[in-house]
Amino acid sequence: MALIAGVVGYLVTIYFVLQPSFAKAFDNWMISLLLWMSPWPAWFWPTSSSKRRGHIDVEELYREPERSAYGDVNWGGSRRSWRA
């Protein structure tokens, strides 16, 4: 994975350097990152702070989904299926 990330980073850097305006190309790239990454904390922060209060019982994570307090993967994305 590190090798893939290094190759991609190298190619992106070469792309930026070869652009007529490095600053504009870099700015556009940063904006594209912001657009797809910004909704994630908007979902994660309220979910983790209200439901789990920031504490996770690691042992519960490794139990069978039927017996774990966290349950199984919530494929539907509904908050109703979460167990406290």
Side-chain angles (χ1 to χ4, degrees), residues 3-83:
L3 181 62
I4 293 171
V7 169
V8 169
Y10 177 76
L11 294 174
V12 168
T13 302
I14 296 298
Y15 171 77
F16 285 147
V17 169
L18 295 177
Q19 292 300 307
S21 173
F22 174 82
K24 183 171 175 123
F26 186 73
D27 188 42
N28 288 338
W29 179 67
M30 292 299 285
I31 289 171
S32 71
L33 288 178
L34 177 71
L35 289 176
W36 69 266
M37 291 174 66
S38 57
W40 183 79
W43 170 84
F44 181 76
W45 179 74
T47 303
S48 65
S49 63
S50 67
K51 208 58 177 158
R52 307 279 184 242
R53 291 178 180 72
H55 302 290
I56 294 177
D57 184 1
V58 177
E59 290 181 15
E60 285 293 319
L61 292 173
Y62 291 99
R63 290 189 188 191
E64 296 81 24
E66 297 81 28
R67 293 181 21 204
S68 173
Y70 298 116
D72 201 356
V73 175
N74 187 357
W75 296 107
S78 170
R79 296 188 97 194
R80 291 180 309 190
S81 62
W82 286 10
R83 291 183 270 171

